Amino acid sequence: ERVGADIEAVRHGIGSDPRIGWHFIYPGAGYGGSCFPKDVQALERTARQHGYGAQVLEAVEAVNARQKTKLFELIERHFAGHVEGKTFAVWGLAFKPNTDDMREASSRTLLQQLWAAGAKVRAHDPEAMDEAQRIFGQRADLVFCETPEAALDGADALVVITEWKAFWSPDFDAMKRALRMGVVFDGRNVYDPKEVEDAGLAYYGIGRGRSLRRLGH
């Protein structure tokens, strides 16, 4: 990002090496779930118990925790710190598609940051809304919406944090009409930035140099 590079070009270059491949090198807003976080932590703790500092595992943990704050960092910088009073449509709550599991989900970090800043959330997830209701309870600053489109109604900006297939091909022109401030924060790099921007929306992705250029970096 800082040098203006696009992670998609980097990803394709790295993935062309057959020893690495394409399957798991997707940038995003951090990983969650019940297994991977727990396993990394357990391996790092076991190493420490045996007098060995597993620096790579320690770094994985630290970077993932930092990555979960990336979307809010972009949001705060886009709005020049004036997040209070804004309403955000959030597409996705589960830690990955095709589950209702929200354990260690990046959405939990984002929502807590938005609420702490005085923002409201209109959220949609195809499966995880009941689980989110159980976790967060009734809140005046959280509305669950039956469709992705309903989440956009009255929202200033959209944040995509789980790459459900239902979110892959939205009507960007309709999105532009619905969002009061016309900006998309794409936490999984689902969208083509040019397609979004051609619809008149501002676009921010993960590891995409154009995002920081727009912020003046």
Side-chain angles (χ1 to χ4, degrees):
E1 286 182 357
R2 291 173 189 250
V3 298
D6 188 329
I7 192 63
E8 283 301 298
V10 176
R11 186 176 72 83
H12 280 88
I14 293 173
S16 64
D17 186 329
R19 297 168 298 176
I20 300 171
W22 310 99
H23 299 293
F24 295 105
I25 47 173
Y26 292 96
Y31 63 77
S34 61
C35 298
F36 198 26
K38 178 183 66 180
D39 292 346
V40 171
Q41 293 162 12
L43 284 169
E44 190 275 325
R45 186 166 56 249
T46 299
R48 195 170 356 103
Q49 289 169 350
H50 288 80
Y52 178 74
Q55 291 175 294
V56 170
L57 293 176
E58 292 169 3
V60 167
E61 273 288 288
V63 169
N64 190 56
R66 187 178 69 213
Q67 202 66 12
K68 289 182 180 181
T69 70
K70 179 67 176 177
L71 281 170
F72 184 74
E73 174 190 324
L74 291 171
I75 289 167
E76 194 169 45
R77 287 157 71 183
H78 175 81
F79 290 110
H82 301 299
V83 179
E84 185 175 4
K86 302 286 192 304
T87 298
F88 292 85
V90 174
W91 285 3
L93 295 165
F95 85 93
K96 69 175 183 178
N98 305 314
T99 182
D100 66 353
D101 195 340
M102 288 184 62
R103 283 174 287 185
E104 304 285 339
S106 300
S107 63
R108 297 177 67 160
T109 300
L110 174 67
L111 265 57
Q112 294 291 357
Q113 288 180 300
L114 289 172
W115 291 330
K120 296 180 180 180
V121 171
R122 295 178 58 81
H124 173 77
D125 187 286
E127 293 189 19
M129 290 195 290
D130 287 344
E131 177 65 3
Q133 178 77 74
R134 184 190 70 79
I135 293 168
F136 299 119
Q138 293 286 345
R139 302 181 56 115
D141 49 12
L142 174 61
V143 175
F144 295 110
C145 302
E146 288 301 313
T147 66
E149 294 76 17
L152 300 175
D153 291 341
D156 294 292
L158 168 65
V159 186
V160 179
I161 201 162
T162 311
E163 63 274 31
W164 287 93
K165 284 192 176 179
F167 304 156
W168 286 11
S169 302
D171 182 336
F172 290 117
D173 292 324
M175 186 183 294
K176 175 66 166 62
R177 292 191 295 272
L179 292 174
R180 291 188 296 212
M181 303 192 76
V183 56
V184 175
F185 299 92
D186 184 357
R188 301 296 172 185
N189 288 3
V190 176
Y191 305 130
D192 178 346
K194 185 177 185 304
E195 186 178 0
V196 178
E197 291 172 346
D198 284 351
L201 294 154
Y203 175 88
Y204 296 89
I206 304 294
R208 314 203 86 149
R210 65 199 299 144
S211 297
L212 285 189
R213 285 200 301 275
R214 181 176 296 106
L215 291 167
H217 292 262

